[in-house]
Amino acid sequence: MVYADNAATTKLDKNAFEAMIPFLTEDYGNASQPYSFSRRAKNALKEARNTIANCIGASFEEIFFTSGGTESDNWAIKGSAFLNDEKNTTITSIIEHHAVLRSCAFIESLGHPVAYLPVTGEGIVTPQSLKSIMTDCTSLVSIMFANNEIGSIQPIKELTQVAHDYGAVFHTDAVQAVGHIPINVSDLGVDMLSASAHKFNGPKGIGFLYIKKGTALSPYQNGGAQEMGLRAGTENIAAIIGMAAALAVNCAQEEKTISRLRNFESIIIEKLNQGKIDYKRNGSSDCIPGNLSLSFKGRDGEALLHRLDLMKICVSTGSACDNVNTQVSHVLRAIKLPKEYIHGTIRISLGRDNSEDDAIKIASALLKIL
Ligand code: PLP
């Protein structure tokens, strides 16, 4: 099998798995208990928080564990809206993940205004467009770091500056970026950042929200005193340990992985060009390494996915479909992809475990099918 759907999920890192085992077997203590048996879990939790903070340039007390990207996004958006400040408008973009868009729809249904920014043809939110709709009532700006379909990386530092100029808080959904490209929250200036372990070779169902010291945010879950009383619930120690171990491995290998993935991208692109295939590559020139959103003229992305599947190659399409209708994704519509290309879209997302041979196999399979 050639697995080329790493934007959907990734393979669990071996070191991460091994680091998790003791906390699933003998070190099962509850980190909140004061006896020495639980101290092992408590110390491991502290160490994991430190490791993650170091990987993104934060302090350990700014890392809050959640169940993943969806929860982190829900918390950032609802937690800001529920502060019920005089400043109560949220600004986001039309290409966000549904974890953000549906959280925004929810706060809108409760009477909190939300404004949605358009993007350029490359899927970029420009600082100028953000500036044009900022007002003194804007409380939160939430713009994703990198898009999950087309990989475009946003000018986060500049967008954060615009939000701060109006006294607003800046959140970024960095689920597709953390563990894949260098990120330093202090340098970027962001106030909140969402991440999910299973996108960077960690376990599923665990993630974190970075909350800069001093940022006001309502609690997400009420109950015990875990996560500074902001997100109650007994911690999933094994998953947290696995997440920290996976992030440390990926960050240490980041530079090498990026250059390998860029090389695999060019292998596929070169072969398609040599085969004189009529296609468009979506996204910006600066996109997440290994992400290839390709739209083939007059083709059907679903059919391509199934043909590739028969050849044991896993990719995804640019459309979310149910068993009745195939709906074109909101991202492809937002970048105004021409009609004759839009239905022929697939997303190839290569990861650190792919090889050059995988890239050649994908390109050859595509040429054969097309
Ligand atoms: N945000 C983005 C950009 C994503 O790509 C995803 C997952 O696909 C999520 C949020 C949701 O993350 P999780 O699967 O950890 O809930």
Side-chain angles (χ1 to χ4, degrees), residues 7-8 67-71 73 96-100 144 146-149 173-176 194-199 205-207 347:
S67 64
T70 300
E71 182 183 322
D73 288 344
E96 299 296 313
H97 189 271
H98 285 119
V100 166
M144 70 199 320
N147 184 264
N148 47 303
E149 289 186 36
D173 171 349
V175 166
Q176 293 289 337
S194 300
S196 175
H198 76 100
K199 307 287 188 182
I206 190 76
R347 178 191 66 186

Side-chain angles (χ1 to χ4, degrees), residues 11-31:
K11 184 176 177 177
L12 181 62
D13 179 81
K14 247 194 159 123
N15 284 332
F17 175 60
E18 275 157 20
M20 291 169 74
I21 296 171
F23 297 94
L24 291 165
T25 51
E26 62 271 20
D27 287 334
Y28 54 83
N30 185 322

Side-chain angles (χ1 to χ4, degrees), residues 4-329:
D5 199 17
N6 288 275
T9 197
T10 54
K11 184 176 177 177
L12 181 62
D13 179 81
K14 247 194 159 123
N15 284 332
F17 175 60
E18 275 157 20
M20 291 169 74
I21 296 171
F23 297 94
L24 291 165
T25 51
E26 62 271 20
D27 287 334
Y28 54 83
N30 185 322
S32 299
Q33 291 301 76
Y35 38 75
S36 53
F37 174 54
S38 275
R39 224 167 285 146
R40 287 214 285 274
K42 189 184 269 174
N43 289 342
L45 196 59
K46 197 170 161 195
E47 211 176 294
R49 218 184 286 278
N50 258 324
T51 303
I52 290 170
N54 286 339
C55 288
I56 64 161
S59 314
F60 72 94
E61 69 271 36
E62 296 174 318
I63 305 297
F64 293 78
F65 298 124
T66 66
S67 64
T70 300
E71 182 183 322
S72 298
D73 288 344
N74 271 259
W75 187 7
I77 289 156
K78 295 176 187 172
S80 299
F82 296 165
L83 288 171
N84 275 331
D85 224 318
E86 296 277 275
K87 282 164 88 66
N88 69 346
T89 304
T90 297
I91 296 178
T92 189
S93 83
I94 56 172
I95 60 158
E96 299 296 313
H97 189 271
H98 285 119
V100 166
L101 291 176
R102 294 198 174 129
S103 296
C104 286
F106 179 72
I107 60 166
E108 264 187 302
S109 73
L110 301 179
H112 300 274
V114 180
Y116 298 86
L117 282 167
V119 293
T120 66
E122 291 199 324
I124 296 295
V125 176
T126 66
Q128 293 83 343
S129 70
L130 174 59
K131 197 169 178 181
S132 72
I133 62 161
M134 288 293 299
T135 70
D136 291 337
C137 288
T138 310
S139 53
L140 178 75
V141 177
S142 179
I143 307 289
M144 70 199 320
F145 208 114
N147 184 264
N148 47 303
E149 289 186 36
I150 58 174
S152 306
I153 297 174
Q154 302 296 338
I156 294 297
K157 194 170 178 168
E158 291 78 3
L159 293 168
T160 303
Q161 190 55 56
V162 174
H164 287 176
D165 288 346
Y166 288 80
V169 165
F170 190 90
H171 163 250
T172 184
D173 171 349
V175 166
Q176 293 289 337
V178 170
H180 298 283
I181 53 170
I183 289 179
N184 185 303
V185 287
S186 315
D187 176 47
L188 293 167
V190 298
D191 303 295
M192 290 190 279
L193 174 144
S194 300
S196 175
H198 76 100
K199 307 287 188 182
F200 54 77
N201 304 92
K204 293 171 179 57
I206 190 76
F208 65 89
L209 180 65
Y210 157 79
I211 308 175
K212 186 158 83 184
K213 220 183 283 174
T215 306
L217 194 67
S218 299
Y220 189 68
Q221 276 178 190
N222 307 109
Q226 294 93 350
E227 303 306 297
M228 317 262 238
L230 291 177
R231 198 272 187 185
T234 303
E235 303 88 347
N236 186 347
I237 307 284
I240 290 168
I241 304 305
M243 168 163 68
L247 188 57
V249 170
N250 278 19
C251 288
Q253 298 175 352
E254 215 158 54
E255 216 178 301
K256 208 169 108 210
T257 309
I258 293 173
S259 103
R260 286 178 67 239
L261 293 177
R262 293 293 184 218
N263 178 38
F264 300 164
E265 285 174 27
S266 21
I267 289 172
I268 295 176
I269 294 297
E270 226 167 83
K271 281 207 171 267
L272 291 176
N273 292 345
Q274 279 165 5
K276 306 233 175 322
I277 301 293
D278 191 343
Y279 74 99
K280 282 185 187 298
R281 182 174 179 183
N282 306 309
S284 59
S285 51
D286 182 23
C287 74
I288 283 295
N291 178 300
L292 288 148
S293 168
L294 306 173
S295 299
F296 298 96
K297 188 176 180 184
R299 302 292 181 152
D300 175 21
E302 287 293 316
L304 286 175
L305 180 150
H306 292 298
R307 294 290 296 273
L308 287 166
D309 187 29
L310 289 173
M311 296 163 97
K312 295 192 166 42
I313 296 172
C314 307
V315 300
S316 78
T317 58
S319 48
C321 61
D322 56 41
N323 53 11
V324 184
N325 300 307
T326 299
Q327 291 168 349
V328 171
S329 94

